[in-house]
Amino acid sequence: MSTPLTEEKLAAIRERHAAASRGPWYWSGYTRGQQLGLHGPRMSSVMEFHRWGMQSAQPVFCVDGILRDVSELVVPDTNPHRGRITDINHPDARFIAASWEDVRDLLAHVATLEAALEDETRKYKTAWTTLTNTQATLRAAEARVKALDAQFRATEREKRAVEEHAAKLAARLEDADEALAAADEQYRRAPTPPPGLLDLLGDFLSTLASTPRNPYPSEDDPRAAGWADAMDAVREGANELGGAFNAARAGVAPTPVPTVPALVERAGKDGAQ
């Protein structure tokens, strides 16, 4: 039963092959001189048989369960008078003669397979490294997409908050615009503003005070500067309104006061986005 061809076993085969007589091997001899030997290149001797005439010196091979003398199995030269032996007509003899070349070819084939395996292993390692790097890149990209999605959702929430603040401020501005329209008519008829108007103006100023100058999470947000400028402009106009009404109550000559639409227009020119 064959055993696995381990590295140690393969190394031992290589060592024995390298130490053996150089091949290729072949059977050669003469029937007249009763000589036979296993030879290598240039008739170098690998194995010889002397005293062929003695039973103990003549090689025999098993044929169909019967040991037969080699003299019965030799293949003679094409010239029968020369009596030269060129081969032994037996599979074991031919196996022995071809063993050196067979082992050489098998070892060369093993070396080719080992080289191919090493090349495939190197390719596999390269592919594995590429796959690992690609996997890391994809994971990083996935994390980046999740971060961008979270940032987008946060921006949407900020946008809705800003829109709600703007809607509240717009409603207050509409109320103030209606009150100012009534106040203009009242101002033309009376030297002092009607009762309750200053309270309405105070509510409007309170709404402005509660509205943040920067509803965005970062001062670096490009929208923050425009919003702050717009709020400053509206507050400045509202303060001018309050000063005008106070002057009217004190009997001082009125100062031209911008209307709410004018305040909104000024805020837009100052950079409200």
Side-chain angles (χ1 to χ4, degrees):
M1 184 177 63
S2 62
T3 58
L5 188 62
T6 62
E7 289 292 334
E8 293 77 9
K9 187 175 181 180
L10 187 60
I13 293 174
R14 287 195 178 100
E15 184 178 356
R16 287 193 296 268
H17 184 264
S21 298
R22 184 173 180 80
W25 295 345
Y26 58 94
W27 294 104
S28 177
Y30 292 92
T31 55
R32 290 182 180 180
Q34 297 180 343
Q35 295 176 349
L36 178 66
L38 185 64
H39 298 151
R42 299 180 181 180
M43 289 295 293
S44 59
S45 294
V46 178
M47 181 171 56
E48 300 287 348
F49 296 92
H50 294 289
R51 296 181 299 173
W52 191 349
M54 298 178 63
Q55 184 67 27
S56 61
Q58 180 175 196
V60 293
F61 292 93
C62 183
V63 178
D64 297 330
I66 300 174
L67 293 178
R68 298 184 59 182
D69 294 338
V70 72
S71 58
E72 301 176 19
L73 304 173
V74 294
V75 178
D77 193 0
T78 55
N79 187 347
H81 300 290
R82 190 161 50 183
R84 182 179 177 184
I85 300 172
T86 59
D87 192 13
I88 298 177
N89 187 19
H90 193 277
D92 293 343
R94 286 172 177 157
F95 177 83
I96 294 171
S99 62
W100 188 91
E101 289 182 281
D102 291 344
V103 171
R104 178 199 61 188
D105 295 340
L106 288 173
L107 289 177
H109 183 64
V110 168
T112 301
L113 293 178
E114 288 178 338
L117 177 61
E118 184 178 356
D119 184 61
E120 290 299 322
T121 301
R122 183 168 56 253
K123 291 179 181 179
Y124 170 78
K125 290 181 179 179
T126 301
W128 177 259
T129 301
T130 301
L131 179 61
T132 302
N133 294 337
T134 302
Q135 185 181 35
T137 302
L138 290 176
R139 287 178 177 175
E142 182 183 15
R144 178 59 178 164
V145 168
K146 290 182 179 179
L148 289 175
D149 181 66
Q151 183 178 356
F152 174 78
R153 295 178 184 275
T155 302
E156 287 295 314
R157 289 194 297 270
E158 295 167 5
K159 180 181 177 181
R160 287 195 295 271
V162 171
E163 289 175 349
E164 291 175 0
H165 280 294
K168 291 180 181 178
L169 182 58
R172 290 293 186 178
L173 287 175
E174 289 179 1
D175 294 341
D177 188 39
E178 293 176 0
L180 283 176
D184 284 342
E185 184 66 24
Q186 185 75 22
Y187 184 75
R188 292 187 183 93
R189 298 178 183 179
T192 58
L197 182 59
L198 290 180
D199 294 335
L200 179 61
L201 180 61
D203 292 341
F204 176 65
L205 293 176
S206 297
T207 300
L208 287 178
S210 64
T211 301
R213 292 184 75 255
N214 178 20
Y216 300 97
S218 172
E219 293 293 338
D220 297 331
D221 195 308
R223 300 169 294 180
W227 180 271
D229 292 341
M231 293 302 302
D232 290 342
V234 173
R235 286 193 177 95
E236 179 182 353
N239 289 332
E240 291 178 5
L241 285 175
F245 281 122
N246 288 332
R249 295 178 62 184
V252 180
T255 301
V257 177
T259 63
V260 170
L263 293 176
V264 175
E265 180 181 1
R266 181 192 303 178
K269 291 179 180 180
D270 288 341
Q273 299 296 324

